[in-house]
Amino acid sequence: MSRARSHLRAALFLAAASARGITTQVAARRGLSAWPVPQEPSMEYQVKRQRGDPQTQLEAMELYLARSGLQVEDLDRLNIIHVTGTKGKGSTCAFTECILRSYGLKTGFFSSPHLVQVRERIRINGQPISPELFTKYFWRLYHRLEETKDGSCVSMPPYFRFLTLMAFHVFLQEKVDLAVVEVGIGGAYDCTNIIRKPVVCGVSSLGIDHTSLLGDTVEKIAWQKGGIFKQGVPAFTVLQPEGPLAVLRDRAQQISCPLYLCPMLEALEEGGPPLTLGLEGEHQRSNAALALQLAHCWLQRQDRHGAGEPKASRPGLLWQLPLAPVFQPTSHMRLGLRNTEWPGRTQVLRRGPLTWYLDGAHTASSAQACVRWFRQALQGRERPSGGPEVRVLLFNATGDRDPAALLKLLQPCQFDYAVFCPNLTEVSSTGNADQQNFTVTLDQVLLRCLEHQQHWNHLDEEQASPDLWSAPSPEPGGSASLLLAPHPPHTCSASSLVFSCISHALQWISQGRDPIFQPPSPPKGLLTHPVAHSGASILREAAAIHVLVTGSLHLVGGVLKLLEPALSQ
């Protein structure tokens, strides 16, 4: 193993150890090579664990920044575009970054979570930073924090804060022209909100998510999201329900932030050819409209050396908000929208008879958008001849999401099979450094999958008999490989299965017919139960198999790791 890769593994482990509260000394005693690295402890888990007084936590982040050798004023040099929202904020950031990169600007982009490798979170010119750069900046920051610790402070910040600090250092040292920064959770008390003078802020569509942290109504969540507004800094939002939109307006007025409502994308297409988007789905048009306003405002403020506000097209008719300018997108803007890529969001992979539809939707509103996209994609497909088509759902949900509500929204897709599994690529974790989460056990995540299956079966209005909930007797030495709790095919409209990891689920779904995903051999017990056995025959004979993977970005990331091996290299 090269020195760079060895350092990278150590770096990732130490970040994870910090997130789990393991000291450097304990980590060293246990041996770095003996510890796999988690993908990321749930962000909610981290925030809850560190929560305390929210304002105190922001001050702690500023202290970490100072100990790392930077002051908040240094971040002003990054010409930041700060974006929050419940759904679509990552896609909005991706559109914005690609638009500005098409002008020849050197871009930085900080996002979360990652899908396959942690380096995805820190991008320069649209590409994850290299392992060598990651290693270099990780150790530089790590040693700086170690050198500046004293008895009054914890030496290392948690996982997400460490990576946020690291992103700021990378962008400053690599001299980017601008940085697009996606909020982690919320806004007001998110650790990215130490940004003092962004160039422009954006708020994508709002909905219900992270309720234990942000509140249980969209209005409470809107208050948190509006916390990124800054005095005199233009901000843009897409059309929201009246309640949360009023909260955003009031927050902006209190802070003296000029807030604008984005016109629909159709308004920017008038008088010119339709805009082509690199991301599929009707809901991406709202994200693209916001991205165009953010990029347009950023470019204008750079021309004016940061002075002035956007000129509203006309007074807004909704909650006294002015409408953002209507303008003709430039050729660079059109190119940026067309070339935008954002894996795991309305992504399609076509592999022989299999078509994989990947979307990390994990809220009610994003699940509705996902269903619309999936059904429209199926309507536009070429129907095969010579065999049946099969629709498969692969689903998992984590955190405080309501899986029953999400599954109910997915039912109109008329799946032939519903498959549930944890966000683990393999049962054996040694080769999945970026895919693990040490805050839950295998038993806990499997139990949750069984609960998802039960919700699905209840939605099909069938009563599961008690014996269906006991796992089959494990074969010697192979308990982790077994299929759990299938639902008999004759009792519901869609048969449901639970697998112990993503790899086993994909093996059953693909039946060796994906030309790239070719695992060595199926695990023992994969076809033990009638549903798995009969379903395997149907899948092997199907002319087309349409697989929707949704419910969790971490699930989508694990699937991409297996279907696109190059992403792990």
Side-chain angles (χ1 to χ4, degrees), residues 504-527:
H504 295 172
L506 296 192
Q507 287 182 61
W508 183 80
I509 293 169
S510 64
Q511 292 296 314
R513 303 180 71 187
D514 186 302
I516 295 178
F517 177 65
Q518 293 288 326
S521 60
K524 293 179 181 179
L526 197 65
L527 302 179

Side-chain angles (χ1 to χ4, degrees), residues 61-364:
M61 184 64 180
E62 291 184 11
L63 179 59
Y64 283 125
L65 185 71
R67 286 176 50 205
S68 76
L70 295 176
Q71 299 299 320
V72 289
E73 292 79 9
D74 294 320
L75 305 184
D76 299 347
R77 307 201 309 267
L78 289 176
N79 299 315
I80 290 171
I81 299 172
H82 202 190
V83 181
T84 188
T86 304
K87 64 188 182 82
K89 66 181 189 291
S91 298
T92 297
C93 288
F95 277 128
T96 305
E97 183 276 331
C98 196
I99 289 170
L100 292 171
R101 178 159 36 98
S102 72
Y103 279 85
L105 295 163
K106 184 175 183 179
T107 61
F109 179 11
F110 178 63
S111 64
S112 61
H114 61 273
L115 295 179
V116 178
Q117 295 198 56
V118 69
R119 297 182 294 107
E120 297 165 23
R121 294 171 181 248
I122 305 174
R123 295 171 181 260
I124 293 179
N125 287 332
Q127 296 300 313
I129 60 173
S130 68
E132 293 75 18
L133 270 186
F134 187 99
T135 303
K136 169 186 170 182
Y137 286 109
F138 177 95
W139 284 113
R140 184 178 293 180
L141 175 60
Y142 180 86
H143 290 312
R144 178 68 180 172
L145 291 170
E146 274 289 294
E147 292 164 1
T148 55
K149 70 178 180 181
D150 58 38
S152 64
C153 62
V154 178
S155 63
M156 290 295 149
Y159 188 99
F160 184 73
R161 292 189 193 182
F162 188 100
L163 292 172
T164 304
L165 291 170
M166 184 172 157
F168 291 147
H169 279 270
V170 170
F171 296 153
L172 285 166
Q173 292 297 316
E174 296 298 314
K175 295 180 171 54
V176 299
D177 295 314
L178 69 122
V180 179
V181 177
E182 178 189 358
V183 166
I185 287 182
Y189 304 118
D190 185 73
C191 69
T192 64
N193 207 30
I194 60 171
I195 296 166
R196 190 185 63 148
K197 288 185 178 179
V199 175
V200 60
C201 297
V203 182
S204 66
S205 296
L206 297 179
I208 298 291
D209 198 15
H210 302 295
T211 53
S212 61
L213 293 171
L214 305 180
D216 56 2
T217 68
V218 188
E219 288 75 16
K220 291 177 182 177
I221 291 170
W223 188 92
Q224 295 281 351
K225 305 290 184 182
I228 70 167
F229 295 158
K230 302 295 185 295
Q231 183 176 354
V233 174
F236 296 84
T237 183
V238 298
L239 185 63
Q240 312 280 3
E242 291 183 3
L245 192 62
V247 172
L248 291 177
R249 179 204 64 198
D250 293 344
R251 281 284 260 168
Q253 289 176 350
Q254 292 164 5
I255 299 171
S256 297
C257 161
L259 176 64
Y260 299 86
L261 187 63
C262 292
M264 302 291 285
L265 200 61
E266 288 80 0
L268 303 184
E269 291 177 315
E270 288 181 9
L275 293 165
T276 302
L277 307 185
L279 304 183
E280 295 186 9
E282 187 66 23
H283 58 288
Q284 294 292 358
R285 291 178 63 81
S286 170
N287 300 328
L290 176 56
L292 283 169
Q293 293 293 343
L294 295 175
H296 182 257
C297 180
W298 190 93
L299 290 164
Q300 282 195 325
R301 285 173 67 82
Q302 295 307 301
D303 288 341
R304 299 170 185 163
H305 305 288
E309 296 176 7
K311 185 178 180 180
S313 57
R314 61 183 184 274
L317 303 178
L318 194 60
W319 295 99
Q320 294 81 51
L321 279 181
L323 286 176
V326 174
F327 56 88
Q328 281 288 320
T330 67
S331 58
H332 292 300
M333 292 175 177
R334 290 178 175 276
L335 179 65
L337 290 175
R338 187 168 61 248
N339 290 344
T340 298
E341 296 180 356
W342 195 227
R345 287 80 167 178
T346 60
Q347 182 180 6
V348 180
L349 297 176
R350 293 180 174 84
R351 304 281 185 75
L354 285 126
T355 305
W356 304 90
Y357 302 83
L358 309 173
D359 190 72
H362 52 271
T363 68

